């Protein structure tokens, strides 16, 4: 089965530093998402992206966050100035253009902010 | 508002059955079920849509009561591999991929 690929698998950073999390969605998918999961808690929606722009974003997705599709294959999440509470597992997901199709999740990037 | 799952945790022996419920206070367009093992990504199990259509796993069944805004996941003849945290995710309209997940149900299957 095709896979969503995320790099790095672990990222440790100092508070206030910028981080970029990278994702390669499945090649024929058109809709892209970032979710995050704080340890022991539920998975939370951050942002959806379609046609090179943000479709929807949650309250969590404030001005410190941005997403980009810099080329035809990568999808990135940038956190400009990390805070301790940004520590979480970040999942990228994608789906194809048909309605009501499943999300394919990547294996995640564990971000630790010190 | 996030859906509410029950129970919070279930412990089974291999071969036993379990039901996990998911309730929402909002009108639902679809319910998605995922299983997550520790340290791994959520894995898709099932989508249930208004009108009764289902897409998903052959060995897992689920129901969707639109009037009650509830979904139930039925795990029969459980196997050790069923252990994990089960999340329901709800979509309220045409935001198909924007899912609001419940808090999860931890399922543990013992030999």
């Amino acid at each position: 089965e095709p896979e969503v690929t995320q790099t790095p698998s672990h990222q440790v950073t100092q508070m206030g530093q910028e981080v970029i999390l990278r994702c390669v969605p499945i090649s024929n998918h058109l809709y892209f998402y970032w979710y995050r999961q704080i340890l022991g808690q539920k998975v939370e929606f951050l942002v959806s992206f379609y046609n090179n722009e943000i479709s929807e974003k949650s309250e969590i997705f404030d001005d410190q966050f941005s997403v980009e599709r810099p080329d035809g294959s990568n999808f990135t999440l940038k956190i400009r100035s990390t805070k301790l509470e940004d520590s979480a597992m970040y999942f990228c997901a994608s789906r194809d253009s048909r309605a009501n199709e499943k999300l394919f999740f990547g294996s995640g990037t564990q971000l630790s902010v010190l | 508002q996030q859906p509410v799952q029950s129970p919070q945790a279930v412990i089974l022996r291999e071969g036993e059955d379990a039901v996990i419920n998911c309730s929402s206070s909002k009108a639902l367009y679809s319910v998605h079920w995922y299983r997550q093992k520790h340290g791994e990504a959520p894995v898709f199990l099932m989508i249930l849509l208004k009108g009764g259509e289902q897409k998903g796993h052959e060995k897992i069944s689920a129901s969707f009561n639109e009037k009650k805004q509830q979904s139930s996941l039925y795990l029969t003849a459980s196997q050790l591999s069923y252990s994990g945290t089960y999340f329901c995710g709800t979509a309220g309209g045409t935001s198909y991929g924007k899912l609001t997940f419940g808090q999860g149900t931890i399922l543990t299957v013992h030999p």
Side-chain angles (χ1 to χ4, degrees):
Chain A
E1 190 168 64
E3 289 184 346
V4 174
T5 306
Q6 288 186 243
T7 55
S9 56
H10 292 84
Q11 175 87 50
V12 180
T13 190
Q14 295 291 324
M15 190 170 58
Q17 295 296 304
E18 175 183 287
V19 293
I20 297 176
L21 310 183
R22 293 183 165 80
C23 169
V24 179
I26 294 169
S27 61
N28 63 339
H29 285 186
L30 299 179
Y31 294 83
F32 313 116
Y33 305 85
W34 284 100
Y35 283 79
R36 80 171 186 189
Q37 185 177 33
I38 294 170
L39 184 64
Q41 298 185 23
K42 66 183 175 76
V43 178
E44 300 175 288
F45 169 80
L46 290 179
V47 65
S48 58
F49 190 87
Y50 169 71
N51 199 24
N52 281 322
E53 59 183 29
I54 291 173
S55 313
E56 288 186 84
K57 58 184 181 179
S58 71
E59 295 172 352
I60 303 167
F61 195 89
D62 61 21
D63 292 343
Q64 295 297 317
F65 291 87
S66 62
V67 289
E68 195 177 38
R69 189 155 163 81
D71 53 42
S73 60
N74 290 287
F75 179 50
T76 61
L77 174 69
K78 182 193 290 186
I79 309 174
R80 285 190 191 80
S81 178
T82 50
K83 299 179 279 225
L84 295 176
E85 54 265 37
D86 294 329
S87 294
M89 178 74 89
Y90 287 81
F91 293 107
C92 174
S94 69
R95 69 172 181 89
D96 70 22
S97 59
R98 292 169 294 175
N100 297 312
E101 288 299 317
K102 65 179 180 180
L103 293 181
F104 287 78
F105 282 89
S107 55
T109 293
Q110 180 64 56
L111 177 66
S112 298
V113 183
L114 305 178
Chain B
Q1 283 184 329
Q2 72 174 64
V4 177
Q5 290 182 230
S6 62
Q8 290 187 338
V10 184
I11 299 175
L12 299 175
R13 293 210 176 274
E14 263 187 301
E16 292 181 338
D17 303 338
V19 179
I20 301 172
N21 300 301
C22 175
S23 298
S24 175
S25 58
K26 288 176 56 174
L28 297 178
Y29 187 83
S30 65
V31 179
H32 300 225
W33 286 96
Y34 286 81
R35 177 172 59 217
Q36 185 181 32
K37 293 187 182 282
H38 183 70
E40 299 180 7
V43 173
F44 170 78
L45 295 175
M46 179 80 68
I47 293 177
L48 301 108
L49 306 174
K50 283 182 72 170
E53 185 180 356
Q54 295 187 12
K55 305 181 185 185
H57 206 284
E58 293 176 359
K59 296 186 178 180
I60 292 175
S61 62
S63 64
F64 182 14
N65 186 322
E66 296 170 31
K67 278 189 177 179
K68 292 185 177 181
Q69 291 157 194
Q70 289 179 346
S71 177
S72 296
L73 187 72
Y74 305 98
L75 303 166
T76 56
S78 58
Q79 305 169 17
L80 295 177
S81 61
Y82 286 10
S83 293
T85 302
Y86 288 75
F87 291 99
C88 67
T90 57
T94 55
S95 301
Y96 304 119
K98 179 191 172 186
L99 300 178
T100 302
F101 285 96
Q103 82 279 16
T105 296
I106 301 172
L107 180 77
T108 306
V109 182
H110 291 295

